[in-house]
Amino acid sequence: MGNHDENQHRQFRFTTQAFKKCALFSLAASAQSATNPQNCGTWGDVLNAQTHHAGSNVSLARRAWQIRRNALLMGEVQGQGYIGQALGSADTLATAYFHAMTYRADDPEWEGRDRFYLSIGHYAIALYAALIEAGILPEDEIPTYGMDDSRMPMSGMAAYTPGMEITGGSLGQGLGIAVGAAMGLKRKNNPAFVYNMLSDGELGEGSTWEAVMSAVQWKLDNLIAIVEFNNQQADGPSTKALAQVPEAAKWESFGWHAQSIDGNDLDALVAAFDTARNLDEPRPRVIICNTKMCKGVPFLETRESNHFIRVEADEWAKAIAILDEDKPE
Amino acid sequence: MTIGATSRRKSKYEPRKVPDQKLATSAMIASLDAEGRDTVAAPFGHALCDLAKTRDDIVGLSADLSKYTDLHVFANAYPDRFYQMGMAEQVLISAAAGLAREGFTPFATTYCVFASRRAYDFIIMAIAEENLPVKIVCGLPGLTTGYGPSHQATEDLAIFRGMPNMTIVDPCDATEIDQATRAIADFDGPVYMRLLRGNVPNVLGEYGYKFELGKAKLLQGGNDVLFISTGFMTMRTIDAAKALKADGVDCAILHVPTIKPLDVETIKAEAAKSGRLVVTAENHTIVGGLGEAVAGTLMRDGVHVPFKSIALPDEFLDAGALPTLHDQYGLSVNAITSRVKGWLDE
């Protein structure tokens, strides 16, 4: 994770970029315009927002661990769930929510926030786990996961959950909506980023590629796509369907800046997010996160056919116990 | 060709003779025949430009059809507020949803066929489910082109009626398009509006008509027949009523521009007035449109009246000249009057 100085350096690089953009925004904010939204704030506000993550001196490894644990607790509530996906994407979500993104936990619709779009609606359990760790969702509602009247339904619904920006379920839609949001942010001179997390399966949907093309056309340098590439979809490996390795080359040929990394390596994730955020080029950027399903719980990692992994009733506690044996600082 | 007869496809291997009367196939370029009326050029585009003067939140998007949906008028006046999305209806709709999420009021245009078929899942999940104020305004409604089934949106009203939260408008003429564009811009929710483009006939101006979203309007009273019509078919029922009057048939006309939500109170109240044949008329298939909506509501509420519907058949329609097709499929004034007379004689 690097020492304290290194963390400070990363924060400084980010906030310099944010300040540049915010300065532009402040200039625009002073002009009379009906599209001027609530101010993203002053330079001081930006710094404060950056450190609004609950306990910002907690290590990323610990955050990712906590996300895994939250997800397992939710899976145990229902006795089922897309837990393989949650375990695999925990590192990516930790980096997004606890290193890269600007937001206010107590104000999930704060205009200055970075937007996080979960295009893969069935990864809701993973996002809930991150939102709980971020303090946007309350920990005491974990036992309501998937229940009637819950704020945490199995498939992500914007209307049900604070911090859930779009409604998922039908795949291949998020990137297109993110294109529109990124356009809208530019219209308002709002320096916030839009992150869209999509799966390798969604790379099959033509709508994804319409959005890929459109993002380049509109020079959306405030759009960051994150591809969760675990090479698993409902009927088998994504590379036996429509995904390819290397996937980055496809995106580059369309005009995106593309990075392909080990999505379970926190150092690699931090570097990739920083590169994506700080890239000073008028084009969108994608981080292809090659992840392992069920990462963090060895007996699940080796289980077969794990798109909707079968977990026996007593195995949830067993998985949590294994995590607890290796709790990071 | 017998008026009102449905088509039966000939074999493609059967040779054809050159017809005596050479009517041109109506492509997407032709406007709806003005039939001797005054016209107004691009009422939608001009109304949107007027709105844009005081509304910074309005933006326009099109999937390569701005020129054919009159959005080019807006695009030329406000180039920095227009987004050309290319031939990509799914990102057209998705991006409109994203813009709406960021506080804008997007007007997204394409043809009715492409919005209702290619983009449906995106409209329902990205826009309707979240009740976003996106206005989907589309050209070539129903049978307004002879280009063939790929461009004849015969079932779009049926498709969108099934969508919760969606408001559906089928305006009659230039006056209504202007007024409806303003009304839907003010409405805080998703709207699907059919559109006539180019030089659009102006009919309702002489009735002192005022469009109200969600309201049906009685244009004229009458004792023998109650026409319940929508879209440009109200122009046709107005003319049919004049022709029938000459034959001693007295027709009322209830214009229903908002298909969803349906103004059931007004429809029931008018239909319940006894002694009249109720005839619905729409530029849409008999399946799932205005006729079935009205029939359903009357039956459920116990209003049992003589009831007939003028609509397109449940078929893929022919390609050819629009006047021929309108006669063939029962939408022309002649077709309407002869069918109504036949029903009254039953």
Side-chain angles (χ1 to χ4, degrees), chain B residues 203-210 218-220 238-239 242 253:
Chain B
V203 171
L204 295 179
E206 63 197 65
Y207 287 78
Y209 180 82
K210 290 277 176 286
L218 191 73
L219 298 181
Q220 63 191 54
I238 286 171
D239 283 349
K242 288 183 185 136
I253 300 173

Side-chain angles (χ1 to χ4, degrees), chain A residues 43-67:
Chain A
W43 164 235
D45 278 0
V46 170
L47 275 178
N48 282 337
Q50 175 68 357
T51 56
H52 260 218
H53 310 151
S56 61
N57 53 0
V58 174
S59 74
L60 274 187
R62 173 67 162 268
R63 298 288 194 189
W65 178 90
Q66 195 68 62
I67 288 171

Side-chain angles (χ1 to χ4, degrees), chain B residues 238-249:
Chain B
I238 286 171
D239 283 349
K242 288 183 185 136
L244 286 163
K245 185 85 178 177
D247 284 340
V249 179

Side-chain angles (χ1 to χ4, degrees), chain A residues 33-35 115 117 157-159 165 167-168 170 172-173 176-177 180-181 183-185 187-188 207 210-211 214 218, chain B residues 56-57 59 80-85 88-92 94-95 97-99 101-102 104 121-122 125-126 129-130:
Chain A
S33 165
T35 55
R115 281 82 165 133
Y117 280 12
M157 302 279 293
E165 302 260 10
T167 292
S170 183
Q173 299 205 1
I177 306 173
M183 287 169 168
L185 288 169
R187 294 201 74 80
K188 297 186 283 187
S207 53
E210 289 188 17
S214 195
W218 294 101
Chain B
D56 281 354
D57 57 312
V59 292
D80 66 323
R81 287 160 69 164
F82 169 70
Y83 294 93
Q84 176 56 259
M85 300 307 288
E89 292 75 18
Q90 298 181 346
V91 77
L92 168 76
S94 304
L99 280 159
R101 297 203 81 91
E102 292 298 334
F104 295 92
D121 193 30
F122 301 80
M125 287 312 302
E129 198 273 330
E130 275 285 282

